[in-house]
Amino acid sequence: MDIAVVALSQIGRAAEKTATKKPTLADLRESGCLSAYTKIKCPHLNKTFRIKDLVDRNNFNIFATDFKNIKIMNAKKCFKSGKKECFEVTLINGQKIELTKNHKLLSVNGWTELSKLNIGNKIAIPINYDNNSNNEISNEEISLIGHFLSNGCALKGRTIQYTHNVIDDDLTLRVMSDAIIATNDMVKPYFKDTITEKSRFRNIFFKPKNHLTHRVTHPIADILRKYNLFDVRTKQKSIPDRFFYLSHSQIFILLKSLFTGDGTIYYQEKNGRKSLKISYSSASEELILGIQELLAKIGIVSFFNKITNKKNQSWYYLYISGKSNTQIFVEKIGFWNQRKNSQMLNG
């Protein structure tokens, strides 16, 4: 076509140190990229976006690192750089991330391109950070969401209820109290016990004080709808997006209700020494990933794995171990019921 073509590219600074200072092909730089489906948290909006939904946005706030701490920083622009081959990195704690081979990760040797890392290399993950936002959600509503994410049932056409061990009277009082306050005294909770040779459980029901019509809906259902948690089955449960931007003190409350419902504690003995182990199980991978992220935000590193039984049913198990991690859990989170607290402290 008899036209000139000019190709521009960044080059590494290594070329400046050569005798000729003439760059070679090896000096060409290409920016590392994350997958379009990577989630980016925007704390000032209290929302999480996929990168593909942020393309061409200017001047928005994200969580980023200054090499030592996680801070809220300004992103000048988000842009796409075409189609590239991506690789999935799986960490020992179960977390995964998709990125190009030249994207850098923070390793013990500094920021290192993925192509230069090997299996077994250690990289950093973000922990113990706070967005310092003012949230208008009450503690009781947060606690109630935690109850229903663990052992609650709120399906369309069925009675809204919460189930737990019949011996935990203090937990009964907590769930009922949270429901009354969160709904502004619009429900009247009551419970029924079922005791058989194989099980002893209690169902808490939440009777609405107003007659329900097509214009008047159940107060508990109204709260769950705000967070897209009404008529959601166990496998589809997840942490509401807005809850990732709670303060540390309110995250403690949410995790306390979650672990009270589906958490377990035990002591493992090795070489004559006992160590505390805390776990959480769920059929929902999204819920486990959300809990893991909340734990990291308050400074707890956790691990999870997937187990599939003979019926091809998958369950996800999250574990908290190590003195520093369990110490934070014991001091800041714990359980609503005294039975589990006693087991944790006196084990």
Side-chain angles (χ1 to χ4, degrees):
M1 297 178 66
D2 196 27
I3 60 174
V5 177
V6 179
L8 302 179
S9 176
Q10 289 180 297
I11 60 172
R13 292 189 180 276
E16 297 178 355
K17 300 178 182 178
T18 62
T20 62
K21 295 189 177 182
K22 184 178 179 180
T24 63
L25 287 176
D27 295 315
L28 292 177
R29 288 182 59 187
E30 181 184 13
S31 60
C33 298
L34 295 169
S35 162
Y37 298 96
T38 303
K39 294 180 179 180
I40 300 293
K41 299 201 173 297
C42 300
H44 286 179
L45 297 175
N46 281 357
K47 291 187 68 176
T48 301
F49 297 90
R50 296 189 185 277
I51 285 184
K52 68 185 185 71
D53 299 319
L54 288 172
V55 170
D56 295 332
R57 285 205 183 194
N58 300 315
N59 296 315
F60 54 92
N61 290 302
I62 62 172
F63 285 118
T65 177
D66 62 355
F67 302 97
K68 291 184 179 180
N69 302 302
I70 303 299
K71 295 182 177 181
I72 297 174
M73 296 185 182
N74 180 261
K76 292 184 178 180
K77 187 175 181 179
C78 179
F79 59 92
K80 60 182 178 181
S81 56
K83 294 183 178 180
K84 298 183 179 182
E85 185 179 23
C86 285
F87 300 84
E88 183 180 78
V89 176
T90 302
L91 305 184
I92 194 172
N93 68 346
Q95 288 180 290
K96 296 179 181 180
I97 185 172
E98 290 185 351
L99 63 168
T100 57
K101 65 180 181 180
N102 57 322
H103 194 286
K104 292 184 178 181
L105 298 169
L106 184 57
S107 71
V108 292
N109 297 317
W111 291 95
T112 308
E113 291 183 3
L114 174 61
S115 61
K116 297 179 181 178
L117 293 173
N118 298 310
I119 294 176
N121 287 157
K122 295 181 179 180
I123 64 170
I125 60 172
I127 64 169
N128 196 22
Y129 58 97
D130 198 350
N131 46 282
N132 298 316
S133 63
N134 295 319
N135 211 308
E136 297 179 355
I137 309 175
S138 70
N139 292 343
E140 290 77 18
E141 187 168 310
I142 291 170
S143 183
L144 186 68
I145 293 299
H147 296 317
F148 273 87
L149 282 173
S150 57
N151 284 343
C153 178
L155 297 175
K156 189 176 182 179
R158 297 190 185 182
T159 304
I160 296 176
Q161 58 187 288
Y162 177 86
T163 306
H164 69 86
N165 194 313
V166 72
I167 65 176
D168 293 323
D169 290 315
D170 49 355
L171 178 54
T172 303
L173 295 175
R174 168 57 60 178
V175 174
M176 293 170 70
S177 174
D178 286 339
I180 291 171
I181 297 174
T183 61
N184 294 316
D185 199 22
M186 295 301 292
V187 296
K188 187 177 182 180
Y190 66 96
F191 63 85
K192 290 183 179 180
D193 293 342
T194 300
I195 300 176
T196 65
E197 293 182 0
K198 295 184 178 180
S199 62
R200 297 167 58 88
F201 62 89
R202 172 172 294 171
N203 286 324
I204 302 176
F205 302 95
F206 308 89
K207 184 179 179 180
K209 290 188 176 181
N210 292 333
H211 179 66
L212 302 183
T213 66
H214 65 286
R215 292 185 178 180
V216 180
T217 52
H218 198 294
I220 298 289
D222 291 340
I223 292 176
L224 295 174
R225 283 192 184 95
K226 285 196 303 183
Y227 306 108
N228 298 318
L229 291 176
F230 181 70
D231 198 27
V232 174
R233 296 186 178 276
T234 302
K235 289 185 178 181
Q236 284 73 49
K237 288 183 177 181
S238 62
I239 302 294
D241 191 33
R242 190 174 170 185
F243 281 30
F244 289 108
Y245 306 93
L246 296 174
S247 65
H248 279 200
S249 60
Q250 289 193 313
I251 290 176
F252 295 149
I253 293 171
L254 177 63
L255 291 171
K256 191 168 191 170
S257 292
L258 282 162
F259 277 86
T260 298
D262 275 341
T264 58
I265 49 176
Y266 59 97
Y267 279 83
Q268 190 175 64
E269 188 167 347
K270 185 177 181 180
N271 299 326
R273 299 180 63 181
K274 291 198 301 182
S275 58
L276 174 64
K277 307 290 181 183
I278 303 161
S279 66
Y280 190 96
S281 61
S282 174
S284 169
E285 183 179 15
E286 276 297 309
L287 180 58
I288 290 293
L289 287 170
I291 293 174
Q292 184 179 55
E293 188 171 335
L294 289 174
L295 288 168
K297 189 173 179 181
I298 61 172
I300 296 177
V301 178
S302 59
F303 302 78
F304 83 91
N305 56 35
K306 175 182 176 182
I307 296 178
T308 303
N309 59 24
K310 295 180 180 179
K311 297 181 180 179
N312 204 31
Q313 297 171 323
S314 297
W315 280 84
Y316 301 88
Y317 293 85
L318 178 143
Y319 303 91
I320 300 173
S321 61
K323 185 176 180 180
S324 60
N325 294 317
T326 56
Q327 186 173 358
I328 295 174
F329 189 94
V330 171
E331 295 178 354
K332 302 293 186 178
I333 303 174
F335 305 94
W336 287 123
N337 55 329
Q338 187 58 41
R339 176 175 61 87
K340 283 188 177 179
N341 279 328
S342 297
Q343 183 181 351
M344 177 175 64
L345 297 174
N346 300 323

